[in-house]
Amino acid sequence: MSFDLTRRRFLIGSSVAATGLLTGCDAMVQSTTVNDILQKAESLSMGAQRLLMSQQTLAREFSEADLSPVFKANGTSQPDSEDYARMTENNFADWKLVVNGMVKTPLNLSLADLKAMPSRTQITRHDCVEGWSAIGKWTGVPLGLVLEKAGLAPGARYAVFHCADDLEPSLDGSGRYYESIDLVDAWHPQTILAYSMNGKDLEVAHGAPLRLRVERQLGYKHAKYVMGIELVDSFKNLAGGKGGFWEDRGYEWYAGI
Ligand SMILES: Nc1nc2c(c(=O)[nH]1)N[C@H]1C(S)=C(S)[C@@H](COP(=O)(O)O)O[C@H]1N2
Ligand SMILES: [Mo]
């Protein structure tokens, strides 16, 4: 099920209507009132989000005994750039996660910075549209904590993940892998920036040094080789404008399982 922000606004609007606040108004007054209330709701969006968040369902979690003996690597398994090669050579000591766009404070976080933040470990099933699944154990920092550190600017609606790999090499950069999720999924408790898989540092094949886990969606949403997180209000200035590498090639943006 999709909880995009449009729906969230609708939910806020309809719950206000259900309290009877809007009864008896003529259409004009009513729409002004609704706009007014929605505007106020927007400024309360963090609180509203948390409220909804507490109602969000968790993806199923498994036990150590369920771990898949083999976890396939899919898509890029080795980014083909000199910059990336240099970073792997010294174990990503110079790598920095950039958080920018519609934020109050842009961030530059090292792997050590991320590992010093509270972490979450989860054993979940990864489902790829190509028809395979695997159960893995992931540890990382909840994305919401990183976004709280940066602080969202008013109007921010999506977190975009910019990756190190060109899955479809192109001169204009449009073949670079990227993905995006809305803020409801961004604050979902199982949405983490994972630096560890099955108890070890994340391997290159699985997205080192950092990959997204967004457990209620299909595999292609789980961006590997995350270099930057950009907060935006729309996808129009990104590559094909559909919010992700595979979305630009026809896949659904909301890939709920
Ligand atoms: N940067 C990047 N992220 C990516 C991909 C990719 O090619 N590049 N492939 C996606 C797809 S389709 C899947 S199924 C998963 C695969 O993750 P895995 O290699 O750890 O199995 O990563 C997703 N994230
Ligand atoms: Mo996939």
Side-chain angles (χ1 to χ4, degrees):
M1 164 158 85
S2 169
F3 262 119
D4 68 20
L5 295 194
T6 319
R7 181 175 163 82
R8 193 189 77 190
R9 300 190 88 193
F10 170 76
L11 286 174
I12 295 163
S14 60
S15 66
V16 169
T19 65
L21 258 177
L22 302 182
T23 51
C25 306
D26 68 32
M28 273 298 280
V29 176
Q30 183 162 328
S31 76
T32 314
T33 313
V34 169
N35 279 336
D36 202 46
I37 289 166
L38 284 178
Q39 227 141 48
K40 287 199 181 80
E42 201 58 44
S43 69
L44 291 172
S45 66
M46 193 63 84
Q49 205 163 288
R50 281 173 197 290
L51 193 73
L52 266 181
M53 204 182 63
S54 63
Q55 298 163 11
Q56 285 196 78
T57 53
L58 294 179
R60 181 170 168 202
E61 294 195 13
F62 297 80
S63 71
E64 300 267 345
D66 301 313
L67 288 173
S68 297
V70 176
F71 198 115
K72 184 177 150 73
N74 206 32
T76 302
S77 55
Q78 170 75 65
D80 180 25
S81 80
E82 279 174 31
D83 278 354
Y84 186 81
R86 253 195 305 277
M87 287 188 285
T88 50
E89 266 162 36
N90 67 350
N91 249 329
F92 301 100
D94 302 329
W95 172 92
K96 287 271 174 70
L97 174 72
V98 176
V99 183
N100 61 15
M102 297 175 76
V103 294
K104 292 189 180 126
T105 316
L107 305 175
N108 263 286
L109 301 168
S110 67
L111 213 43
D113 294 333
L114 293 168
K115 288 181 176 174
M117 292 176 72
S119 72
R120 186 178 204 281
T121 295
Q122 58 206 31
I123 300 178
T124 53
R125 196 185 65 214
H126 179 99
D127 297 312
C128 172
V129 277
E130 291 169 12
W132 58 273
S133 299
I135 294 175
K137 177 164 113 174
W138 306 96
T139 300
V141 52
L143 175 61
L145 293 182
V146 172
L147 298 183
E148 266 158 40
K149 222 181 184 25
L152 298 194
R157 294 188 62 188
Y158 307 101
V160 178
F161 303 86
H162 294 286
C163 305
D165 57 316
D166 280 301
L167 188 50
E168 186 177 276
S170 62
L171 291 175
D172 63 357
S174 63
R176 166 100 11 146
Y177 206 92
Y178 76 107
E179 257 306 336
S180 60
I181 59 175
D182 67 24
L183 299 182
V184 177
D185 256 328
W187 259 271
H188 184 274
Q190 289 170 318
T191 299
I192 63 173
L193 295 167
Y195 43 72
S196 160
M197 177 188 186
N198 295 343
K200 295 181 299 189
D201 282 349
L202 193 58
E203 289 171 9
V204 167
H206 294 289
L210 195 73
R211 66 102 48 90
L212 177 68
R213 296 298 311 170
V214 49
E215 302 293 356
R216 297 176 312 167
Q217 297 203 52
L218 289 169
Y220 62 88
K221 301 295 292 187
H222 299 232
K224 307 196 283 188
Y225 317 109
V226 175
M227 306 297 290
I229 303 175
E230 183 187 3
L231 277 295
V232 298
D233 59 359
S234 99
F235 305 139
K236 66 175 188 296
N237 297 321
L238 301 161
K242 301 274 170 45
F245 177 92
W246 285 114
E247 288 84 337
D248 287 340
R249 290 156 183 79
Y251 284 29
E252 289 291 318
W253 177 76
Y254 191 84
I257 298 173

